[in-house]
């Protein structure tokens, strides 16, 4: 499931033990949308930059860049890819 990154979601992910977010950046070619799209996938173990799963190209520590993104300080549209299980738990929280 995909959902927009918020501070509430980030807090939920941190409480669930996620420490990193895989990242994929794309450019959005629409007038009414931000020009940059960022897809994040939370992970619990430290990823190896040389062996990131496709389509991800980078990763962040969850308490750094994703926290800044959740604060709305960027012009990017930030989406988080959650497992169905985590999405349901978050929706009920």
């Amino acid at each position: 499931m995909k959902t927009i990154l918020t501070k509430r979601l980030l807090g939920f992910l941190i409480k669930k033990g996620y420490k990193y977010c895989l990242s994929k950046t794309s450019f959005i070619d629409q007038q009414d949308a931000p020009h940059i799209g960022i897809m994040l996938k939370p992970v619990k173990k430290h990823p190896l930059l040389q062996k990131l799963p496709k389509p991800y190209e980078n990763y962040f520590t969850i308490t750094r860049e994703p926290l800044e993104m959740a604060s709305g300080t960027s012009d990017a549209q930030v989406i988080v890819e959650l497992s169905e299980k985590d999405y349901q738990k978050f929706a009920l929280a």
Side-chain angles (χ1 to χ4, degrees):
M1 299 294 299
K2 296 178 183 177
T3 189
I4 294 175
L5 179 64
T6 62
K7 287 182 180 181
R8 181 174 162 257
L9 174 59
L10 199 57
F12 169 82
L13 294 172
I14 291 168
K15 286 180 184 178
K16 289 293 180 183
Y18 290 100
K19 296 183 180 195
Y20 304 94
C21 285
L22 302 177
S23 171
K24 178 186 181 332
T25 303
S26 60
F27 295 97
I28 301 170
D29 191 22
Q30 295 178 353
Q31 264 186 343
D32 61 339
H35 298 295
I36 299 173
I38 301 173
M39 174 70 70
L40 299 176
K41 180 173 178 135
V43 294
K44 293 181 179 180
K45 294 185 180 182
H46 189 279
L48 295 175
L49 189 57
Q50 300 83 359
K51 295 183 179 183
L52 293 177
K54 290 185 180 183
Y56 300 100
E57 58 213 17
N58 202 352
Y59 71 91
F60 303 115
T61 301
I62 201 164
T63 56
R64 292 192 181 167
E65 291 86 355
L67 181 58
E68 187 176 318
M69 292 175 198
S71 298
T73 57
S74 73
D75 291 333
Q77 179 182 30
V78 184
I79 303 293
V80 179
E81 185 177 341
L82 295 174
S83 68
E84 183 73 32
K85 179 180 170 184
D86 280 340
Y87 183 80
Q88 289 177 358
K89 287 181 181 179
F90 175 67
L92 295 174

